[in-house]
Amino acid sequence: MTDIKYASRIKAAKEKSGAVILAHYYQLPEIQDLADHVGDSFALSRLAATLDNEVIVFCGVGFMAESAKLLSPGKTVLLPVKDAGCPMADMAGAEDVKKLQEMHPEAAVVSYVNSTTEVKAHSHICCTSSNALRVIRSLPHGKIIFVPDKNLGAYAAEQVPEKEFILFDGHCPPHNETNAEDVARARRAHPDARLLVHPECPGDVRREADFIGSTAQIIAHAGSSSSMEFIIGTEEGILHPLRTQFPEKTFHLLSHELNCPDMKKTTARELLYSLENRQHQVHLDENLARMARKPLERMLSV
Ligand code: 13P
Ligand code: SF4
């Protein structure tokens, strides 16, 4: 089937079911083009909490669809590919958080939204990569347990030196693979380019960056900067909105490792199947959902 045929069938199925399609910037270009809203984790979770649509189709990974369900418990939330997960989210379990809490009872647990519902349920507050610093600064606690991303946690610790941080040892595999050699190679090849990186990158990459931010912040920075050429240190899906929105500018990927296989599992075919068959619905344990909703809502109110 051609892309055009998928597009018209997706549009028809969407209208019939009253669904809205949300897609993360790391999704395939075809999915970003079919979506009603494309954004970073923060913008999409805020949208999920405010949209009127009966059905939300989340083109992303499990934790994103679960967050949408937590924030819109009365709605049907669909994840087109059931096993599209986040390896980093799966690195930390509720038991890990409880153990850290026992060791540091005076600390606040801040969980990156890229975490399981169980981990969120045992957290004081959630954050995304675009609001982590604001969320952490808003807390009265002097000590922070940060889960699961050690790189975003280390970045927060650098930026908020007045607080003490206990970092869980998790990471995003594609971002964590980037290193100082990639930076040196890219700088040699593109000496006039500015380096924009995601805080999920390790310290030796962040230290070399001209700008550090979430996907939405990277896009905004590329647009407002007077520079014409950029090296991008985040997942390659972001190249689509960058090149579409700023065709006069040039973008290079920092490393070919920056590809998240789970984010690429959703194709137009999967999206159509999801809409036509209401698959795969997110169902959460009620008690757990009640506990996990609070830290997400706290984040949205900061
Ligand atoms: P955001 O920039 O949307 O926070 O992206 C982080 C991420 O890894 C999503 O999987
Ligand atoms: Fe998880 Fe990294 Fe993939 Fe995002 S890019 S879904 S953090 S593995």
Side-chain angles (χ1 to χ4, degrees):
M1 200 187 285
T2 63
D3 282 355
I4 306 271
K5 275 209 188 132
Y6 275 124
S8 57
R9 280 186 66 184
I10 285 169
K11 191 163 176 269
K14 192 178 71 170
E15 278 162 15
K16 193 169 163 214
S17 61
V20 63
I21 303 172
L22 308 185
H24 191 269
Y25 287 126
Y26 295 164
Q27 290 285 290
L28 290 169
E30 67 189 39
I31 295 296
Q32 296 193 39
D33 291 345
L34 288 164
D36 296 300
H37 303 279
V38 186
D40 71 353
S41 306
F42 180 66
L44 294 176
S45 52
R46 219 176 28 185
L47 258 179
T50 54
L51 288 167
D52 297 330
N53 303 69
E54 262 295 287
V55 180
I56 297 173
V57 186
F58 214 120
C59 299
V61 293
F63 76 81
M64 296 181 170
E66 288 186 14
S67 298
K69 182 70 181 175
L70 286 170
L71 293 168
S72 306
K75 292 183 188 165
T76 299
V77 178
L78 306 177
L79 178 68
V81 178
K82 203 175 180 181
D83 72 344
C86 169
M88 169 160 70
D90 294 338
M91 287 176 192
E95 288 309 312
D96 300 310
V97 176
K98 283 194 232 165
K99 234 181 266 165
L100 286 170
Q101 262 173 323
E102 273 165 29
M103 288 162 69
H104 309 279
E106 73 282 29
V109 177
V110 179
S111 59
Y112 191 19
V113 76
N114 304 30
S115 56
T116 62
T117 298
E118 286 84 351
V119 164
K120 288 186 181 77
H122 291 89
S123 305
H124 182 77
I125 192 164
C126 292
C127 73
T128 72
S129 60
S130 47
N131 65 12
L133 305 182
R134 193 155 20 104
V135 163
I136 288 165
R137 287 189 182 117
S138 78
L139 297 170
H141 307 72
K143 199 169 185 179
I144 306 294
I145 295 169
F146 194 89
V147 286
D149 187 12
K150 64 175 179 183
N151 291 320
L152 178 59
Y155 172 63
E158 287 154 21
Q159 300 297 314
V160 191
E162 64 277 20
K163 301 205 186 221
E164 186 185 343
F165 284 74
I166 314 297
L167 305 181
F168 182 79
D169 192 18
H171 62 269
C172 162
H175 285 91
N176 198 52
E177 278 298 310
T178 59
N179 55 49
E181 265 175 47
D182 295 326
V183 174
R185 196 179 313 115
R187 290 255 196 233
R188 269 197 309 276
H190 313 291
D192 297 329
R194 273 172 77 75
L195 174 62
L196 319 183
V197 312
H198 198 279
E200 288 177 14
C201 290
D204 53 353
V205 172
R206 289 197 314 274
R207 272 187 289 280
E208 297 292 327
D210 298 305
F211 177 79
I212 302 171
S214 73
T215 47
Q217 290 164 345
I218 287 176
I219 294 170
H221 184 89
S224 61
S225 166
S226 56
S227 299
M228 297 303 287
E229 195 178 2
F230 302 89
I231 301 161
I232 301 297
T234 193
E235 211 275 346
E236 66 176 4
I238 199 177
L239 295 176
H240 180 60
L242 284 170
R243 288 176 178 153
T244 310
Q245 291 179 37
F246 315 115
E248 71 288 5
K249 301 194 176 191
T250 307
F251 300 96
H252 313 279
L253 199 63
L254 171 63
S255 155
H256 291 294
E257 298 290 342
L258 284 164
N259 175 291
C260 174
D262 283 86
M263 281 285 184
K264 303 295 183 266
K265 285 180 176 169
T266 310
T267 62
R269 189 164 162 267
E270 310 282 354
L271 175 55
L272 176 61
Y273 186 86
S274 170
L275 278 161
E276 289 187 339
N277 298 283
R278 289 198 159 221
Q279 299 261 353
H280 298 273
Q281 295 193 26
V282 176
H283 295 292
L284 299 170
D285 174 87
E286 256 179 53
N287 271 340
L288 210 57
R290 216 185 348 266
M291 288 166 72
R293 188 170 300 126
K294 283 191 194 130
L296 266 181
E297 287 176 344
R298 273 192 205 117
M299 169 187 89
L300 292 178
S301 71
V302 168

